[in-house]
Amino acid sequence: MHTQQTATPRGALNETNLSQDSIDTYDNLYAKNDYGTLDYPVNARYLDLHKSYLNWIRWHWHEEMEILIVNQGVAEVSTDDDTYLIRPGQGLIINQNVMHCIHAQDKKQCTFHSLVFHPDYIFGHKSNYLQTQYLLPLQNYQLFKVFFLDESAPWHERMLQTLMEAIEVNTAKHFGYEIATKGYLCHFWAELLRQLPQTETPPPPRVPQDEQRVKEAMLYIRTHHAEPLTLQEIADSIHVSKSECCRCFARTLQMSPFEYLMKYRIYESTKKLMDPEQNFSSIAELALSVGFNNTSYYNKLFKKFLGCTPTYYRTHKVLHQEPERGTLSYFL
């Protein structure tokens, strides 16, 4: 786990200047893939994990690059192979298509700025000299999954200042902010390229095989979780043996495919419990709707992951109680 000393925020937006409407959550940002439009693939948001479902942002990935700059609290960002603690004033650059999840350390409040953008906004949609010279080297640099910014070097400070200015103009949205944003992002990209090792002939783009397989299996599980899935079916969806499927999940998410499936089903059931439009006549009906044909087993897993029964959860609406470390919030 990477830990760093607390840095003083530079260029941070004044929290009092942010209206309640400008504070976003997982459910209305990440779940909707709200990362801008084709013409303007940029999205700047101020997020409060306490207002997100179960206080965290589950495992996901996207074609856009994302930069997180913490405003309050400590954000714990996990990738498939490491975990990073981001404190106020510090930032993390997450490369394209990198699996990650975000939650607050020690269940405390955590707010942060998120700037998500697609490199096409800088380089265009067609292959050209700029893409070859400046985009492909970064996309092909296999060691660059995330990059930590903590102001330990002058260029860190420059990067954080540039990124905060980009976030600020996208928050204010004054005339010409799209052009100003492109300028900030070009400056950011040039600075980042200068700091990464240069290779004369970059290798072709390649996603690690384990990660690619697990991504495909996760999508399959999310689509078919309510069905009576077997390990063989999950393995078949990514064209590997059952044992290799288990090894891929263990190496990438540190859990088995079956454990991921069970936790995903429990997570989906909590959303249904909190949805006033969902009307289940019994817990057995709820359990069946997410793939459990054994109610007692569903109740047992629910209590294991969330510390209470489904009935208690529904009655008391335990929306903001984050599970203990190592349970539900660490897998999806």
Side-chain angles (χ1 to χ4, degrees):
M1 177 182 294
H2 290 257
T3 58
Q4 303 290 337
Q5 297 299 315
T6 302
T8 303
R10 288 184 179 270
L13 296 177
N14 189 337
E15 190 171 347
T16 60
N17 292 335
L18 292 161
S19 67
Q20 193 68 22
D21 292 339
S22 67
I23 301 178
D24 283 293
T25 67
Y26 168 81
D27 291 318
N28 63 13
L29 177 61
Y30 290 88
K32 295 180 180 178
N33 293 325
D34 184 10
Y35 305 130
T37 65
L38 183 62
D39 291 330
Y40 188 64
V42 180
N43 196 314
R45 288 289 187 267
Y46 180 70
L47 293 112
D48 185 345
L49 285 179
H50 186 66
K51 297 179 183 297
S52 293
Y53 187 68
L54 291 177
N55 300 324
W56 57 282
I57 297 171
R58 62 179 175 174
W59 284 103
H60 68 287
W61 63 92
H62 37 74
E63 292 184 359
E64 296 79 7
M65 181 176 283
E66 181 171 14
I67 298 99
L68 308 176
I69 301 178
V70 171
N71 180 269
Q72 177 186 8
V74 181
E76 194 163 335
V77 183
S78 297
T79 64
D80 65 325
D81 58 3
D82 214 336
T83 298
Y84 303 82
L85 299 181
I86 320 300
R87 293 180 167 80
Q90 299 176 344
L92 191 71
I93 304 169
I94 304 172
N95 207 353
Q96 296 175 270
N97 294 307
V98 171
M99 291 174 57
H100 58 285
C101 65
I102 310 168
H103 47 89
Q105 187 187 41
D106 299 329
K107 307 180 185 179
K108 297 180 180 178
Q109 185 172 8
C110 179
T111 59
F112 59 91
H113 300 282
S114 169
L115 179 64
V116 181
F117 73 95
H118 200 290
D120 283 349
Y121 187 58
I122 302 175
F123 300 101
H125 300 284
K126 297 181 180 180
S127 178
N128 54 41
Y129 169 79
L130 291 178
Q131 281 195 350
T132 303
Q133 189 74 8
Y134 301 111
L135 174 58
L136 293 181
L138 197 56
Q139 288 182 329
N140 295 341
Y141 184 48
Q142 298 178 22
L143 298 180
F144 174 40
K145 284 189 173 182
V146 299
F147 206 99
F148 194 89
L149 297 171
D150 63 354
E151 296 184 316
S152 61
W155 72 270
H156 282 219
E157 185 175 354
R158 293 194 301 270
M159 292 272 275
L160 287 166
Q161 183 66 37
T162 298
L163 293 167
M164 284 308 305
E165 288 171 351
I167 292 170
E168 192 167 74
V169 298
N170 277 270
T171 302
K173 286 183 164 48
H174 295 312
F175 177 77
Y177 75 93
E178 300 96 335
I179 299 174
T181 298
K182 191 166 188 175
Y184 289 128
L185 291 179
C186 287
H187 181 78
F188 154 78
W189 199 275
E191 185 74 61
L192 183 60
L193 274 180
R194 281 194 292 267
Q195 304 305 326
L196 294 178
Q198 301 297 313
T199 57
E200 293 184 2
T201 306
R206 177 179 175 272
V207 177
Q209 189 175 54
D210 282 349
E211 181 180 330
Q212 184 60 41
R213 286 173 173 173
V214 169
K215 284 180 178 179
E216 292 175 6
M218 289 168 68
L219 293 176
Y220 182 81
I221 289 171
R222 292 180 185 185
T223 302
H224 300 280
H225 70 274
E227 304 169 13
L229 280 182
T230 65
L231 175 59
Q232 185 65 62
E233 289 172 322
I234 297 173
D236 287 345
S237 74
I238 56 175
H239 312 293
V240 297
S241 66
K242 292 189 292 185
S243 57
E244 180 61 18
C245 181
C246 290
R247 286 191 288 267
C248 289
F249 268 79
R251 289 188 292 249
T252 304
L253 296 183
Q254 292 76 54
M255 68 179 71
S256 70
F258 183 76
E259 185 179 1
Y260 179 88
L261 172 61
M262 293 301 102
K263 290 180 175 179
Y264 190 84
R265 286 172 169 171
I266 294 296
Y267 173 83
E268 288 298 309
S269 74
T270 63
K271 291 200 297 183
K272 292 186 175 184
L273 282 170
M274 300 307 300
D275 187 351
E277 296 183 0
Q278 298 281 349
N279 186 19
F280 293 97
S281 60
S282 66
I283 295 298
E285 183 184 356
L286 169 66
L288 188 62
S289 74
V290 293
F292 289 99
N293 55 16
N294 186 312
T295 307
S296 62
Y297 183 58
Y298 166 71
N299 285 328
K300 179 181 178 180
L301 286 184
F302 195 102
K303 189 170 185 179
K304 175 183 177 181
F305 295 143
L306 290 171
C308 64
T309 65
T311 301
Y312 183 92
Y313 190 95
R314 180 170 58 181
T315 303
H316 297 274
K317 298 187 182 300
V318 193
L319 179 59
H320 293 301
Q321 285 200 12
E322 185 175 345
E324 292 299 320
R325 185 179 183 90
T327 58
L328 194 61
S329 65
Y330 278 73
F331 76 96
L332 287 170

